[in-house]
Amino acid sequence: MTMEFTNYMQLALQQAFFAIGESRPNPAVGAVVVKDGIVVGKGRTQRPGSAHAEVMALRDAGELACGASIFVTLEPCCHYGRTPPCTKAIIEAGIKKVYFAHSDPNPVVHGKSRAILEEAGIEVHEGVDACICACVDECPNGESSTECRVFEFRVMSPEDRAMREGEGREVFREVERFFEAYDYFVRTKRTFVEIKSAVSQDGFMGCIDAVGNYMPLAITKPGANCWNHELRAMSDAVLVGAGTLLADNPSLNVRYVEGHDPVKVIWAGHHEFTAYEITHLVVFSSKNSKFLVYSSVAQPHVADFVLLPHESFAENWREMISDLSARGMHRLMVEPGAGLARELFNDVANAQNDAPLQNVRPLWNRLDLWRSTDSSVDEKLDQLIEQGAVKGGLEYPELPAGLVAKESAVIGPDVLTVYYP
C-alpha cells in the first residue's frame, strides 16, 4: 500500500500567503507548531510592529508549544527591531525542534539564528533538509506522524521514502520561489518585476477588431489559470496597461486559489481616463479595490494618481518601480498587452546592443510565458476572422535575444517557460 503524505512546511507556506499585503514591508512568513503529529498552532506575520509568524503560532499553541516542533518558512529573526527576536520567544516557549525552509538574506539575521537556538539546546533543521523532514506519512486516524502510532510495525519502503523526499524537495522549491522577490528586495531595495503572458500555438496573444482595437482571446486552460492566480496571490501588486484595462475590463483579483487580492496598478501612459471609464471599469468602481495609477499625463477624473515626469518609457517605468519600492512592495506581477510587452522587451534588447547601457538594470526580472499546444485556440480565431467578427490575430512581441530559459513545466495543454534577462 502506498503511503499518503502531508508536509508541515506546506501548511506553513499556506499561512504565509495570507500575510502578503499585511506584513509589508516585512516578509510574509508562515509558521505551524506540531506536537505528537498534531498541528496545535498556526500563525502568520502581522502588520509592522506587531507579532511575527512564530509568535502568532506559539500564542495559538499555548502550553502545548512546550516540547513541540515549529515549522517556519523563513529563518526566525534573532535581533531586536520593532519587536523582540523570535528566537527568544521560541526558546522561552520550550520548543524542542525548529525547522525553517529559507535562510533570511537580511545580514542582521542570516546564519545567526541557528547558533542561538542550538546553544539553547534546540535541534535545528534548515533548507531542503527541513522540508524533507516536514514531510510525514498520514495515519489512519487522521493525524500525521513520522512514526505512525497505529501501525508502528510498518517499515517505509524505498519507494515511499523516495516519494517523501521528492515531496519535501518540491515544497522547498515552492518556498524558494515564494521568497525570490523578497531576496531581491533585500539585496537591491527594489521591487521584483515578474511578467506573465500567454500565447497560442501560432504565437497570438489576442485579436484585433475591424477598427484596430485589441480584443481578448482565451488561451490557457484551468490548470495554468490556477497557477496564474497563485502568482497573483503571492504578489503585492498586479499591473496592466490602459489598453488591456479598456479591452478586457479585468477584475485583477485572486480566484481559484486562497489568498489576498493584490493592489491593482494601472500603467496609464498617455491615456487620460474619462469620467465614464472611471465609473464603468471594475478596477476603479469596485468599493473594495485598492489601486494605483501611474500616468504621463494629468488624470482629472482619477482621485489619486502618480504623475511620471520623464520623456522616455524606461525612465518613467523606473520612476514607478522606485515608488513601489518605497511602499515596501516586494513583487509586482505584470500582465502586459502587446504594446507594454514590446516596450519592456525593447529596453532589454537596447541594453544588450548598446555598450554604455550594459550596466543598466533591466526593467523586469522574470518572464513566465505560457504557450498553448491546443490547436483549437487558433482554429477559433480563424473562425472569428472568417465570420468577420475580428480582423486578425494580435501577435506576441518578439523576445529579445540572450534571454535565459531556466525553468519549464507542463499543465494540461499549456507549456510554461520561465525566462530571465
Side-chain angles (χ1 to χ4, degrees):
M1 181 178 68
T2 301
M3 292 183 183
E4 296 294 330
F5 294 100
T6 190
N7 193 294
Y8 296 131
M9 199 65 77
Q10 182 75 56
L11 300 181
L13 183 59
Q14 291 171 5
Q15 289 292 310
F17 266 87
F18 286 96
I20 296 171
E22 292 183 5
S23 64
R24 194 167 53 236
N26 292 335
V29 181
V32 297
V33 177
V34 178
K35 190 168 188 178
D36 297 327
I38 301 172
V39 176
V40 295
K42 300 178 182 179
R44 61 177 182 266
T45 301
Q46 305 297 298
R47 65 182 183 276
S50 299
H52 290 184
E54 298 92 324
V55 173
M56 295 297 293
L58 292 171
R59 287 178 184 173
D60 191 34
E63 294 181 356
L64 292 174
C66 185
S69 300
I70 189 168
F71 297 81
V72 192
T73 55
L74 185 69
E75 181 178 1
C77 68
C78 57
H79 65 293
Y80 282 88
R82 292 182 178 138
T83 60
C86 289
T87 49
K88 182 174 183 291
I90 290 170
I91 294 169
E92 291 178 348
I95 287 291
K96 184 179 179 181
K97 298 179 182 180
V98 173
Y99 302 82
F100 66 86
H102 189 78
S103 181
D104 195 331
N106 188 337
V108 300
V109 178
H110 183 72
K112 298 180 174 65
S113 298
R114 179 167 193 157
I116 293 171
L117 293 169
E118 289 181 334
E119 188 176 345
I122 297 173
E123 183 180 324
V124 180
H125 298 265
E126 64 177 285
V128 67
D129 175 52
C131 294
I132 292 173
C133 291
C135 190
V136 297
D137 60 291
E138 292 280 2
C139 297
N141 62 1
E143 299 171 355
S144 300
S145 174
T146 52
E147 295 180 359
C148 183
R149 290 171 293 175
V150 178
F151 296 110
E152 291 182 350
F153 58 83
R154 185 174 64 187
V155 178
M156 185 178 292
S157 69
E159 292 79 10
D160 286 327
R161 192 175 301 279
M163 186 180 296
R164 171 177 166 177
E165 181 173 330
E167 294 208 11
R169 290 184 183 280
E170 180 58 34
V171 172
F172 175 71
R173 284 191 290 269
E174 289 182 32
V175 174
E176 291 290 283
R177 167 91 170 92
F178 183 86
F179 285 114
E180 181 180 22
Y182 170 65
D183 290 353
Y184 180 80
F185 186 84
V186 170
R187 293 196 310 269
T188 67
K189 308 304 180 188
R190 303 282 291 179
T191 300
F192 185 91
V193 178
E194 183 160 0
I195 300 171
K196 189 279 297 182
S197 294
V199 297
S200 71
Q201 194 173 48
D202 290 344
F204 296 109
M205 63 181 300
C207 313
I208 304 173
D209 66 14
V211 293
N213 293 322
Y214 163 75
M215 296 177 62
L217 178 67
I219 297 174
T220 52
K221 302 303 181 185
N225 292 340
C226 286
W227 190 97
N228 295 333
H229 279 264
E230 186 169 282
L231 175 56
R232 280 188 186 176
M234 78 160 94
S235 299
D236 293 277
V238 57
L239 179 148
V240 295
T244 298
L245 185 65
L246 295 171
D248 293 5
N249 194 15
S251 62
L252 301 179
N253 59 10
V254 172
R255 304 183 298 278
Y256 314 127
V257 297
E258 293 184 328
H260 294 310
D261 290 340
V263 174
K264 285 76 171 175
V265 178
I266 309 304
W267 178 264
H270 289 86
H271 177 82
E272 180 184 318
F273 288 106
T274 66
Y276 177 85
E277 290 168 348
I278 296 299
T279 302
H280 290 84
L281 292 172
V282 174
V283 165
F284 297 128
S285 59
S286 176
K287 291 182 180 179
N288 298 322
S289 181
K290 298 178 181 178
F291 65 86
L292 294 167
V293 177
Y294 291 89
S295 177
S296 300
V297 296
Q299 299 287 346
H301 300 291
V302 179
D304 186 22
F305 68 96
V306 177
L307 184 62
L308 302 170
H310 305 289
E311 292 292 329
S312 74
F313 168 84
E315 288 177 305
N316 281 330
W317 184 267
R318 290 191 175 93
E319 183 83 13
M320 178 192 71
I321 298 302
S322 294
D323 185 71
L324 294 175
S325 303
R327 297 172 189 264
M329 295 193 179
H330 298 166
R331 188 190 310 269
L332 172 66
M333 177 185 181
V334 180
E335 301 187 24
L340 181 54
R342 191 173 295 109
E343 292 277 15
L344 292 168
F345 295 159
N346 282 345
D347 184 76
V348 172
N350 291 338
Q352 290 170 342
N353 297 328
D354 195 336
L357 297 178
Q358 288 297 319
N359 296 322
V360 173
R361 182 183 291 116
L363 300 184
W364 55 274
N365 302 95
R366 173 176 165 131
L367 167 63
D368 305 313
L369 183 59
W370 288 97
R371 296 181 186 274
S372 176
T373 62
D374 185 356
S375 60
S376 67
V377 176
D378 291 300
E379 290 171 1
K380 181 179 180 180
L381 177 58
D382 291 337
Q383 291 174 1
L384 292 172
I385 295 173
E386 290 176 4
Q387 296 166 1
V390 300
K391 184 179 179 180
L394 180 66
E395 292 187 7
Y396 193 71
E398 183 179 355
L399 297 180
L403 296 189
V404 179
K406 288 192 175 181
E407 302 171 30
S408 63
V410 179
I411 302 181
D414 302 311
V415 180
L416 172 67
T417 305
V418 177
Y419 297 93
Y420 288 82

